[in-house]
Amino acid sequence: MARLRNFSLTWAALIILLLSGSLEGCGHISVSAPIVRLGDPITASCIITQKCSHLDPESQILWRLGADLQPGGRQQHLSDGTQESTITLPHLNHTRAFLSCCLNWSNTVQILDQVELQAGYPPAVPRNLSCLMNLTTNSLNCQWEPGPETHLPTNITLKSFKSRANCQTQEDSIRDCVPKDGQSHCSIPRRHLLLYQNMVIWVQAENALGTSMSLQLCLSPMDVVKLEPPMLRTLDPNPEAPPPEPGCLHLCWEPWKPGLFINQKCELRHKPQRGDASWALVGPLPSEAFQYELCGILPATTYTLQIRCIRWPLPGLWSNWSPNLELRTTERAPTVRLDIWWRQRQLDPRTVQLFWKPVPLEEDSGQIQGYLVSWRPSGQAAAILPLCNTTELSCTFHLPSEAQEVTLEAYNSAGTSLPSPVAFSESRGPALTRLHAMSRDPHSLWVGWELPSPQPQGYVIEWGPGPSSTSNSNKTWRMEQSGSITGFLLKENIRPFQLYEITVTPLYQDAMGPSQHVYAYSQERGPSRAPELRLNHIGKTWAQLEWVPEPPELGKSPLTHYTIFWTNAQNQFFSAILNASSSGFVLHGLKPASLYHVHLMATSKAGAVNSTVLNLMTLTPEGSELHILLGLFGLLLLLTCLCGTVWLCCSPNRKNPLWPNVPDPAHSSLGSWVPTTMEEEAFQLPSLGTPPITKLTVLEEEKKQPVPWEYHNSSETCGLPTLVQPYVLQRDPRAASTQPQSQSGTSDQVSSRPRADMSSRNQSSPGKMMTRLLLRCSKTTRMSLELRRLMML
């Protein structure tokens, strides 16, 4: 199977090759222009000839630019039997691409013909054409700026011809100079030039889209000659010649040999090596002697020097600068003023510590190698005795007893400065008043005072670390020559967070005033830590806190106030501001059995810092207090109930609904039909537990108009209207009735009968039985109401 598959693939490839070979010469492409400007349109057509008769007449012609199919082709059949397809590419954005005419045949795309398209820009005009004559290579070298890229093959040519006068006429042509690819310069050999004859030179650029030329340059080769720089060196020392003055250098140079026949001038430039100095130009230099003495520069300084030359007085070009030459000037004696200050030791007044500062009197004051302190004994004019020789700015020595003043000088290898006498005068002038100091910024202090009378001639200001430092080497001082100033800004050796002692001494004529001093900080630190809070006492609604204030420290600003903060469990925030002298505080208004977080903040002018957080829990109320509170609450509730009861009892509107009036059966309408006389009957009320009723009295009332019955609760009246109010006599039935009867509102008479007779009557009459039942229910209702009233009371 594998062999069969390989055989099929081989035959398929062979068939495709044969088919493609058979399509050769079937199509031909023609374009409007093979090279166009980048982005311009281009039109192409493809014609299929008649000899390709084996093609399908309806075959579709396709266009492909590079690897991309291009839509928009218009296909038509011509009268001669050929097929033509035309396409227009609106923008050709490829600098180089192949346009192919293809045929979709047998499900494959076959290329009939293809053409190469190019796009670019016409050449730009070359600019800044310049030429110079190099006598070393004996050639005229020209260079220019070619302009932007054209994306097309472009030919660059340097063209020239010989001319007369002002280059208005052309004589002999000069061979073109073609630069190498990518280069924008070219050289014309000496054999094609006449050094003193004018010539016209220009640059021409040409490609398929156009030609451009630069501006023409008219010149004579010797007018643009560029010499090589001379070789600069120092002048050999001559034992007979005096040494150069301080701030002077002796120079010489060797000219370029091929330019010896040319008249030229040269110029020199120099700069000191120290700092960021710029070049200083000196010229023109004399051309015959080839040497020069440079003066007016700094002594004892190393300089870098260079020289260049040009053809002169005829036209020419400056040569390049020569290689560097480094020389050092000689020294000069120091020209400085020495500001001097001194101190005497308290234990040994003859031991003097002398300080000084050199103040340059000129820009070039000379380098100082050391200082010499000496004194001259009286009677010996030529003898000078040294006391101190140092390179420092201070010296400590023992002053001889006969010496009243000493002399200070600065020296170097060239000499010494003018001597500065130092007289040790006593403090006889007035002192300064109201000396004060204040900070301007972290690195400066302002010190001020009031002018004394008489006015001093100057001041000496000293400053250094405070009382903790006793060494004079850490102190800085300055002498002010103006006696009218009332203050000075100290900027030297001032650091933040450091206590400084500032001393000011007035200077008078041959005297000085007493020194005054003041202490100040340029910047102070904030507190490093806050006091720790401690709980002293605590209650249910208060807490007493205390703390130990931190001791003051040098370099730290004093505290201005404290702020105490506390929060509860509900994140409610409270605060209080206290004086800096406070050492305790009581928190009021706290809730019992509650957790609080407390911290203290110490604040100064330089900042603030917080203490650690103190957590505290207020106390819980005790059991006896709870009992008291509950008792008070119960008493209040009881008083409320009593007041309510009194109000209900005393108010008629509230009393009637609770205790309704019971109707009197004797005054009801029942008397209109009840018999006038009834027998007495004794009956029992076992449910009420009362004694047996021994007598029943029926009241007889006068005839009157009947009134409507009054209805009440059915459970209390046995479902019948309340008509009669009975009166029951509870006594022995055999006892005679001697108690007078109560008088009713109707003046009824009451009579009694024996029990036996009443029983017999009840048995003989049904109406009488009904009456007995009504009386029994009425009596039961009345007794129930009486019992309820007693219970209510």
Side-chain angles (χ1 to χ4, degrees):
M1 270 317 275
R3 292 181 179 179
L4 181 60
R5 186 181 297 107
N6 294 335
F7 180 78
S8 300
L9 293 175
T10 304
W11 274 103
L14 181 60
I15 291 172
I16 291 173
L17 290 175
L18 290 175
L19 288 175
S20 61
S22 64
L23 295 178
E24 291 181 358
C26 289
H28 174 68
I29 296 178
S30 60
V31 295
S32 57
I35 302 176
V36 295
R37 290 178 67 95
L38 191 64
D40 285 357
I42 188 172
T43 302
S45 62
C46 179
I47 299 177
I48 300 178
T49 61
Q50 296 180 356
K51 67 178 182 179
C52 299
S53 59
H54 57 279
L55 296 178
D56 187 0
E58 301 300 329
S59 299
Q60 184 180 5
I61 300 176
L62 305 177
W63 292 93
R64 187 168 63 184
L65 182 63
D68 301 328
L69 290 176
Q70 300 295 321
R74 299 183 301 275
Q75 186 172 344
Q76 61 181 348
H77 295 273
L78 302 180
S79 59
D80 56 356
T82 61
Q83 299 182 31
E84 181 182 15
S85 178
T86 305
I87 190 173
T88 299
L89 302 177
H91 304 286
L92 184 59
N93 295 324
H94 300 273
T95 58
R96 187 183 183 93
F98 284 93
L99 180 65
S100 304
C101 175
C102 306
L103 187 65
N104 191 1
W105 188 39
S106 299
N107 295 328
T108 58
V109 177
Q110 301 295 327
I111 299 176
L112 301 179
D113 194 10
Q114 64 180 4
V115 65
E116 182 181 7
L117 302 180
Q118 296 182 8
Y121 299 104
V125 176
R127 298 178 181 276
N128 297 332
L129 175 63
S130 62
C131 300
L132 60 90
M133 185 65 192
N134 192 330
L135 297 181
T136 303
T137 59
N138 277 330
S139 61
L140 182 66
N141 300 329
C142 298
Q143 60 182 6
W144 61 89
E145 295 179 4
E149 176 64 33
T150 62
H151 305 290
L152 295 174
T154 303
N155 298 323
I156 307 295
T157 306
L158 180 65
K159 293 182 173 294
S160 59
F161 62 84
K162 300 176 184 178
S163 178
R164 296 287 182 182
N166 295 328
C167 301
Q168 299 297 326
T169 59
Q170 179 178 353
E171 294 185 354
D172 299 335
S173 298
I174 302 176
R175 184 177 178 180
D176 293 343
C177 181
V178 179
K180 296 181 180 179
D181 292 342
Q183 293 183 353
S184 57
H185 58 84
C186 195
S187 298
I188 302 176
R190 167 71 178 82
R191 62 180 178 271
H192 301 308
L193 300 174
L194 292 177
L195 296 180
Y196 296 96
Q197 183 180 359
N198 288 341
M199 58 186 298
V200 178
I201 304 175
W202 74 95
V203 179
Q204 177 178 305
E206 181 180 5
N207 63 14
L209 297 180
T211 302
S212 63
M213 293 185 299
S214 68
L215 297 177
Q216 292 184 350
L217 190 63
C218 180
L219 56 85
S220 172
M222 286 303 295
D223 290 345
V224 293
V225 66
K226 183 176 181 179
L227 305 175
E228 292 295 327
M231 185 62 64
L232 188 64
R233 58 185 178 86
T234 183
L235 188 64
D236 295 333
N238 188 358
E240 299 179 357
E245 296 291 331
C248 292
L249 290 175
H250 289 174
L251 306 173
C252 67
W253 60 93
E254 182 180 353
W256 183 48
K257 291 183 179 180
L260 289 175
F261 67 95
I262 300 176
N263 294 329
Q264 51 187 294
K265 69 176 180 179
C266 302
E267 63 183 14
L268 181 74
R269 69 177 184 178
H270 61 86
K271 68 174 181 179
Q273 288 187 350
R274 60 187 182 186
D276 297 330
S278 58
W279 291 99
L281 191 63
V282 178
L285 304 179
S287 58
E288 294 83 5
F290 302 118
Q291 63 181 8
Y292 183 71
E293 183 179 10
L294 177 63
C295 293
I297 56 179
L298 300 177
T301 305
T302 301
Y303 279 85
T304 301
L305 302 101
Q306 293 177 339
I307 191 173
R308 67 176 182 177
C309 297
I310 189 176
R311 182 189 181 207
W312 187 82
L314 298 176
L317 299 177
W318 282 103
S319 67
N320 296 329
W321 288 103
S322 66
N324 293 341
L325 175 65
E326 297 180 356
L327 295 177
R328 182 179 177 83
T329 57
T330 57
E331 288 185 333
R332 62 181 299 182
T335 55
V336 295
R337 184 191 78 236
L338 297 175
D339 291 340
I340 305 171
W341 179 241
W342 56 273
R343 295 193 192 95
Q344 290 178 324
R345 291 185 178 179
Q346 296 180 356
L347 298 180
D348 187 5
R350 303 305 297 178
T351 300
V352 178
Q353 188 174 14
L354 199 64
F355 306 91
W356 58 86
K357 284 185 178 181
V359 180
L361 298 178
E362 300 177 3
E363 182 180 359
D364 175 23
S365 59
Q367 185 176 4
I368 299 176
Q369 296 180 351
Y371 300 93
L372 177 64
V373 180
S374 60
W375 73 288
R376 187 188 303 272
S378 58
Q380 301 180 8
I384 298 178
L385 303 179
L387 295 175
C388 186
N389 190 353
T390 180
T391 59
E392 303 294 333
L393 297 179
S394 63
C395 179
T396 303
F397 56 89
H398 184 77
L399 185 65
S401 57
E402 62 273 15
Q404 298 299 324
E405 66 176 22
V406 296
T407 301
L408 176 64
E409 296 174 326
Y411 64 87
N412 59 17
S413 59
T416 62
S417 65
L418 296 176
S420 300
V422 181
F424 301 100
S425 58
E426 298 180 356
S427 300
R428 296 191 302 269
L432 299 178
T433 57
R434 295 189 179 182
L435 182 65
H436 59 279
M438 59 186 301
S439 173
R440 288 291 181 88
D441 56 65
H443 297 281
S444 65
L445 282 170
W446 170 263
V447 56
W449 58 85
E450 287 188 357
L451 284 176
S453 181
Q455 180 177 308
Q457 294 183 349
Y459 302 92
V460 174
I461 308 171
E462 300 176 89
W463 65 95
S468 59
S469 177
T470 58
S471 175
N472 290 324
S473 59
N474 295 330
K475 290 186 176 295
T476 306
W477 66 278
R478 178 183 180 89
M479 179 175 291
E480 286 296 322
Q481 301 294 332
S482 175
S484 60
I485 63 174
T486 58
F488 187 77
L489 185 62
L490 308 178
K491 295 182 178 180
E492 186 179 358
N493 296 333
I494 299 294
R495 299 188 304 273
F497 315 125
Q498 174 67 51
L499 178 64
Y500 287 93
E501 180 183 11
I502 306 172
T503 304
V504 182
T505 305
L507 302 179
Y508 299 94
Q509 182 69 30
D510 299 332
M512 64 180 182
S515 302
Q516 302 291 328
H517 64 270
V518 67
Y519 296 92
Y521 287 96
S522 63
Q523 184 180 1
E524 295 177 304
R525 289 188 178 94
S528 58
R529 59 182 180 273
E532 295 294 331
L533 285 175
R534 292 184 300 179
L535 181 61
N536 192 6
H537 297 289
I538 192 170
K540 292 177 289 297
T541 60
W542 60 273
Q544 183 180 8
L545 306 176
E546 64 179 12
W547 60 87
V548 178
E550 296 291 333
E553 301 181 32
L554 290 177
K556 294 184 179 180
S557 177
L559 297 181
T560 57
H561 63 276
Y562 290 108
T563 307
I564 188 166
F565 303 90
W566 67 95
T567 56
N568 55 18
Q570 291 75 30
N571 289 329
Q572 292 179 334
F573 175 81
F574 308 93
S575 64
I577 299 177
L578 311 175
N579 293 330
S581 59
S582 302
S583 61
F585 185 70
V586 178
L587 305 179
H588 292 286
L590 307 181
K591 295 181 180 180
S594 298
L595 178 64
Y596 287 87
H597 309 284
V598 189
H599 74 274
L600 185 69
M601 182 176 69
T603 306
S604 69
K605 293 182 179 179
V609 65
N610 292 327
S611 69
T612 56
V613 178
L614 174 66
N615 299 320
L616 57 89
M617 176 74 75
T618 54
L619 300 181
T620 306
E622 299 177 357
S624 59
E625 296 178 353
L626 290 177
H627 294 160
I628 293 173
L629 292 177
L630 292 176
L632 292 175
F633 178 75
L635 181 59
L636 180 61
L637 183 60
L638 180 59
L639 291 175
T640 304
C641 293
L642 291 177
C643 292
T645 303
V646 172
W647 177 69
L648 290 175
C649 292
C650 296
S651 177
N653 296 331
R654 301 294 178 181
K655 181 178 180 181
N656 292 333
L658 298 177
W659 296 287
N661 294 327
V662 178
D664 189 358
H667 296 82
S668 65
S669 60
L670 188 61
S672 60
W673 58 270
V674 175
T676 306
T677 304
M678 296 184 63
E679 297 293 337
E680 294 182 358
E681 182 182 1
F683 56 91
Q684 299 289 335
L685 296 175
S687 61
L688 299 176
T690 58
I693 300 174
T694 59
K695 185 178 182 179
L696 178 64
T697 303
V698 180
L699 301 178
E700 182 178 359
E701 62 180 353
E702 297 179 356
K703 294 183 180 180
K704 59 181 180 179
Q705 296 296 329
V707 296
W709 289 0
E710 299 177 5
Y711 291 92
H712 295 279
N713 195 334
S714 60
S715 62
E716 297 177 356
T717 60
C718 300
L720 296 176
T722 303
L723 300 176
V724 180
Q725 182 176 1
Y727 292 90
V728 180
L729 179 61
Q730 299 181 1
R731 64 177 180 178
D732 190 358
R734 293 180 297 272
S737 180
T738 59
Q739 186 176 356
Q741 298 296 326
S742 61
Q743 301 295 328
S744 63
T746 58
S747 303
D748 293 334
Q749 295 181 358
V750 180
S751 62
S752 59
R753 303 291 178 103
R755 180 178 182 185
D757 297 339
M758 186 175 293
S759 300
S760 61
R761 291 183 180 181
N762 291 339
Q763 293 177 359
S764 61
S765 177
K768 294 179 180 181
M769 291 297 295
M770 188 64 173
T771 303
R772 293 190 190 100
L773 289 176
L774 291 175
L775 293 175
R776 184 179 300 176
C777 290
S778 177
K779 189 174 183 178
T780 303
T781 301
R782 179 176 178 82
M783 293 179 67
S784 298
L785 292 175
E786 292 293 337
L787 289 175
R788 183 181 297 176
R789 181 180 297 177
L790 291 174
M791 292 176 66
M792 292 291 293
L793 294 176

